[in-house]
Amino acid sequence: ELYCSDNLLTDINISGCAVMNTLTADNNILSQSSVDHILTTLANFSTNDGTIDIGVGNAAPSDIGLAAKTTLEGRNWLVFL
C-alpha cells in the first residue's frame, strides 16, 4: 500500500511493487505521462482486487492510460481518475 496524497509529487516509481493493491496519490501534480505509467505498470503486474486514486490534482490519462484503467477494472480494481 502507498498513500502519498497532497505532496506535490510529479512522478511516482512503482516498478518492482508487483503486490501493490492500494495506491492513493490524489492532489499531487502528476503529468499525463506519469499517470499513464502508473496505470500501465499496475495493469502489467496482473494483481486483482485493488484500489487506485490518482484523480484530483493530477493530469488526465491518455488513451493508453485509459486502456490500462479498463484492464484494471476487469480485475476488480476501483480506479478513480
Side-chain angles (χ1 to χ4, degrees):
E1 297 178 359
L2 177 61
Y3 298 95
C4 54
S5 298
D6 304 309
N7 285 295
L8 300 176
L9 299 174
T10 59
D11 192 25
I12 299 171
N13 182 353
I14 57 168
S15 300
C17 299
V19 296
M20 179 178 290
N21 65 355
T22 303
L23 173 60
T24 303
D26 57 320
N27 291 314
N28 284 292
I29 51 174
L30 299 171
S31 66
Q32 184 177 63
S33 62
S34 289
V35 170
D36 286 348
H37 181 72
I38 291 166
L39 292 168
T40 56
T41 301
L42 287 173
N44 288 334
F45 288 152
S46 301
T47 307
N48 296 323
D49 304 312
T51 302
I52 179 172
D53 183 355
I54 51 174
V56 176
N58 298 308
S62 71
D63 289 342
I64 292 168
L66 292 174
K69 174 185 183 276
T70 299
T71 298
L72 290 166
E73 290 172 333
R75 294 190 193 127
N76 296 318
W77 278 72
L78 297 175
V79 181
F80 301 98
L81 300 176

